[in-house]
């Protein structure tokens, strides 16, 4: 085994590990959105538009989550990171 083969094999495993890690993130994200209603992304966009009338924010500063319990209870959680000024 030459020195170049050593570096090539580590790149393949590193690339595979990176791809696996990215795939796990995508799958976890899709699982979290599986049970959410269809109107939630539209509601998030409308909330962002209303907030932008008063404060300059980006879409990443707003997170919307819907938690559902077994007792038919739904909780809508809205987190907005506002600028300091």
């Amino acid at each position: 085994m030459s020195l170049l083969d050593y570096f090539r094999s580590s790149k393949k495993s590193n690339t595979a590990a990176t791809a696996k890690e990215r795939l796990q993130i995508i799958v976890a994200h899709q699982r979290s959105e599986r049970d959410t209603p269809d109107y939630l992304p539209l509601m998030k966009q409308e909330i962002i538009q209303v907030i932008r009338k008063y404060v300059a924010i980006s879409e990443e500063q707003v997170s919307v989550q819907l938690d559902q319990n077994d007792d038919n209870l739904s909780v809508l959680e809205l987190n907005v990171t506002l600028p300091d000024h």
Side-chain angles (χ1 to χ4, degrees), residues 12 31 36 40-41 48-49 52 68 76 78:
K12 288 181 184 177
R31 282 183 185 163
T36 60
L40 205 55
I48 290 172
Q49 289 174 357
R52 282 183 179 164
Q68 297 178 337
L76 180 66
L78 173 70

Side-chain angles (χ1 to χ4, degrees), residues 28-44:
H29 187 274
Q30 288 179 344
R31 282 183 185 163
S32 68
E33 290 182 347
R34 185 181 305 159
D35 296 329
T36 60
D38 294 337
Y39 60 83
L40 205 55
L42 179 60
M43 185 188 331
K44 179 180 177 180

Side-chain angles (χ1 to χ4, degrees), residues 71-85:
D71 302 332
N72 267 346
L73 178 67
S74 298
V75 176
L76 180 66
E77 181 180 344
L78 173 70
N79 290 315
V80 181
T81 306
L82 297 173
D84 292 334
H85 52 83

Side-chain angles (χ1 to χ4, degrees), residues 19-30:
K20 180 180 176 183
E21 198 173 293
R22 289 179 182 170
L23 183 60
Q24 288 175 338
I25 292 170
I26 291 170
V27 169
H29 187 274
Q30 288 179 344

